[in-house]
Every structure is written in structure tokens, then in C-alpha cells.
Amino acid sequence: MAEDANNDIRAMSFEQALEALEKIVEDLERGDVPLDQSIRIYERGEALKKHCDRLLKAAEDKVEKIRLSREGQPTGSEPLDEG
């Protein structure tokens, strides 16, 4: 599939990309899609998956864990994967 055919994916939100990916999976699982079309939509599905992975990683990088004092009071935050 030409790279230009997937340019719209970059503008999709996580939810939009996931919905499009689910539709592709449904179409492929039905098994009534011609082979050449199956290949094209599979390739689009791969691009959608990569986009979802990038967006999910970016969201995870923003998540912070709250640090608590011995008394249980919030004292600040730190990146999720530290400490």
C-alpha cells in the first residue's frame, strides 16, 4: 500500500484509530474480502496499530505517580517508572 494512502492515520485520535483497526479485524475475520483488498487493509491495520502504539506510549510517558509522606499526605509526584 502506498505511504500516501495512510497519511490520514497521523491525524486520528487513539479512539478513532482503534475503531478503524477493529473494523479491519472484523472484515478480515469474515473472510469474504478479496485477497488483494485483504492485503491492502492488513497493511493499513499495521499502520493503525503502530499509530495506536505511539499514542499509548506518549500517554504513558505523561502519567505520574503521586508520592506520599509517612502520614499519607501527597508530597509531589515522580515519573511512573521511577522509584
Side-chain angles (χ1 to χ4, degrees), residues 2-55:
E3 185 73 23
D4 293 340
N6 290 327
N7 282 341
D8 65 316
I9 292 173
R10 291 187 201 122
M12 289 182 174
S13 68
F14 179 83
E15 292 79 6
Q16 291 168 326
L18 188 58
E19 184 178 329
L21 185 55
E22 289 172 346
K23 172 76 169 89
I24 286 173
V25 170
E26 288 173 13
D27 290 347
L28 290 173
E29 285 180 343
R30 257 196 345 262
D32 60 354
V33 179
L35 181 59
D36 60 333
Q37 186 179 356
S38 292
I39 293 168
R40 282 195 310 273
I41 64 174
Y42 178 85
E43 290 171 346
R44 182 166 174 80
E46 282 294 314
L48 286 162
K49 180 190 173 297
K50 288 177 184 176
H51 181 65
C52 285
D53 287 344
R54 278 191 304 271
L55 292 174

